[in-house]
Amino acid sequence: MRPVTLSTERLLLRPFEPRDVPAVHAACQDPDILRWTAVPEPYERRHAQEFVLSLAPAGWREDTAYNFGVFDRDGELVGSMGLVRLDRLRTPEHQAELGYWTAKEQRRRGYTAEAGRAVADWAFGKLGVERLEWYAEVGNDGSRAVALRLGFVMEGTLRARIAHRGTLRDAWAGSLLPSDWGRPAATPYLPAP
């Protein structure tokens, strides 16, 4: 996939660039990002360099993850948002997973939900995603609030779904279908009675 850029009223979502390394490094010093995401701990500058310069571009190139840097109109890093686990994107299931983190000083402004709407709209409209999944470790109330704001339907708690810091953790699971937004899907859906 050739990297794309998305925009909203207040945000620019673009592939990460080398100039973003310092901001990613600074954001990932936040204890909440370290607690709830799979970033290395301690998060060193070399980790930000590896993510920005190698992992994120490889994800686009290899169709394994489409990560966007989320920036406000002043160019400040808001967070990271992406479609991950794309192994079922080009299968009959047409599925992807939405993942995100938000810089501490950018939270509670509605930015993450705004970026999530843009990425989900792109996923449904341009990529043909027919099921967008979301997972977060039980207790990650901020991530869950964003997912609910986007319209994700909570489907339950999955035991031992997330491996984090050497332990398996339970996770909340949710999904968003095009029909949840009043959009058609290419494949008919036959829900359980």
Side-chain angles (χ1 to χ4, degrees):
M1 165 75 66
R2 292 186 63 135
V4 302
T5 297
L6 306 173
S7 62
T8 70
E9 182 179 326
R10 302 183 298 162
L11 302 171
L12 179 68
L13 289 76
R14 62 165 172 76
F16 284 100
E17 299 174 357
R19 63 184 165 141
D20 303 324
V21 168
V24 169
H25 176 250
C28 290
Q29 301 308 302
D30 175 37
D32 285 336
I33 290 176
L34 294 170
R35 168 63 183 92
W36 298 114
T37 67
V39 300
E41 184 178 6
Y43 194 83
E44 300 172 357
R45 183 176 174 84
R46 67 183 171 92
H47 297 121
Q49 290 172 323
E50 181 180 14
F51 175 70
V52 169
L53 303 177
S54 298
L55 296 175
W60 285 96
R61 190 173 51 254
E62 299 164 7
D63 290 320
T64 56
Y66 303 147
N67 283 301
F68 294 93
V70 180
F71 299 87
D72 67 17
R73 291 298 176 169
D74 294 326
E76 295 295 317
L77 178 69
V78 169
S80 177
M81 169 134 342
L83 296 177
V84 298
R85 293 182 185 33
L86 297 176
D87 55 313
R88 291 182 295 165
L89 178 60
R90 289 172 179 72
T91 66
E93 289 82 15
H94 304 292
Q95 296 176 6
E97 180 182 333
L98 183 69
Y100 44 85
W101 56 257
T102 307
K104 182 177 184 175
E105 57 279 353
Q106 302 288 0
R107 294 181 190 141
R108 302 194 188 285
R109 297 179 184 186
Y111 286 153
T112 307
E114 185 175 328
R117 279 190 293 278
V119 172
D121 184 61
W122 175 67
F124 292 149
K126 299 293 184 188
L127 300 179
V129 169
E130 293 184 346
R131 177 181 163 89
L132 192 56
E133 297 180 334
W134 163 88
Y135 301 95
E137 184 180 332
V138 171
N140 189 345
D141 295 318
S143 183
R144 183 181 175 111
V146 169
L148 289 169
R149 209 168 294 126
L150 291 172
F152 276 82
V153 174
M154 294 299 122
E155 296 179 330
T157 301
L158 305 178
R159 298 182 312 144
R161 169 63 173 75
I162 295 175
H164 187 71
R165 314 262 188 253
T167 61
L168 293 175
R169 317 262 178 118
D170 293 345
W172 288 320
S175 70
L176 183 66
L177 307 179
S179 59
D180 295 331
W181 282 9
R183 298 176 72 149
T187 307
Y189 170 43
L190 180 61

